[in-house]
Amino acid sequence: LVEEQQGPMRGRPLLEPPERELDAPVGQTLPRHTAGSPTKSRTRRAMRAISLVAILAMSLDVLLGYTGLSALGHAAYFGVGAYVVAIMTTEHQMGPIACLVAGVALATVTAAVFGLLAIRATGTYFLMITLALSMVIWGLAYRWVSLTKGDNGIAGIPRPTLLGIELIAPVPFYYFCLVCAAVAWVLM
């Protein structure tokens, strides 16, 4: 359908965008698009970040889907787990499985304690309490310089070797992040 434009562009046709059909199902196009991306550093870095944030978003989806409560404090548990892993690998030279178990355990304990404080609230009050509690974690991470190194962060976190695969190289680490996001999606 062609319409005439009004105003300074008068006389030029206004075309509707053409409808496009998918060339192939998503399952066939996804491998084609992701197979070439690990060779590009920026794309690989962005896809790693997207994979990790997707896991965080899926956890919020579980909370919202099962309880109907939306929270603003999910990043706090993500950060607690990340700090536990970082501290255990840099200061205590622990293996990846022990770090994973400890990170998940402490994030779960933190979530349980915060849940006890926020469980009675609903709606906007629940949002504000979860936001306030996550700001407590942020304040601890930012101000407890002897443990978290403050705003400098913890440097020198080694990438692990899992099942004989060295994750220090960027491409295997990229695929590891994608597999973790896929596993989290399947477990949902």
Side-chain angles (χ1 to χ4, degrees):
L1 200 74
V2 178
E3 296 178 13
E4 292 290 322
Q5 289 187 356
Q6 302 298 321
M9 299 296 285
R10 193 175 19 183
R12 293 192 180 179
L14 178 67
L15 299 176
E16 292 181 1
E19 292 185 23
R20 294 186 180 199
E21 292 184 24
L22 291 175
D23 295 336
V26 175
Q28 293 175 357
T29 59
L30 186 61
R32 183 174 59 204
H33 291 297
T34 58
S37 61
T39 60
K40 297 179 182 169
S41 178
R42 274 185 280 158
T43 304
R44 187 176 50 242
R45 205 172 314 128
M47 287 300 293
R48 280 193 318 241
I50 288 168
S51 298
L52 297 175
V53 172
I55 295 170
L56 181 66
M58 284 185 263
S59 69
L60 184 59
D61 183 45
V62 168
L63 178 70
L64 188 60
Y66 284 109
T67 66
L69 296 170
S70 59
L72 297 175
H74 267 62
Y77 316 126
F78 201 66
V80 166
Y83 269 111
V84 167
V85 169
I87 291 167
M88 288 182 70
T89 56
T90 57
E91 295 181 13
H92 303 290
Q93 289 75 37
M94 301 291 286
I97 302 299
C99 291
L100 176 69
V101 170
V104 168
L106 194 57
T108 303
V109 167
T110 305
V113 170
F114 284 9
L116 290 173
L117 297 172
I119 197 69
R120 301 251 181 237
T122 59
T124 307
Y125 299 109
F126 184 76
L127 285 172
M128 290 295 108
I129 289 173
T130 57
L131 178 62
L133 293 171
S134 70
M135 293 308 295
V136 168
I137 296 294
W138 174 83
L140 285 172
Y142 189 72
R143 303 256 193 264
W144 198 353
V145 178
S146 63
L147 183 66
T148 65
K149 312 298 185 260
D151 57 351
N152 291 328
I154 299 174
I157 302 169
R159 289 190 184 160
T161 301
L162 289 175
L163 305 172
I165 301 170
E166 300 258 349
L167 297 179
I168 196 160
V171 175
F173 188 63
Y174 165 79
Y175 283 115
F176 173 72
C177 291
L178 285 179
V179 166
C180 287
V183 167
W185 182 72
V186 167
L187 292 175
M188 275 189 50

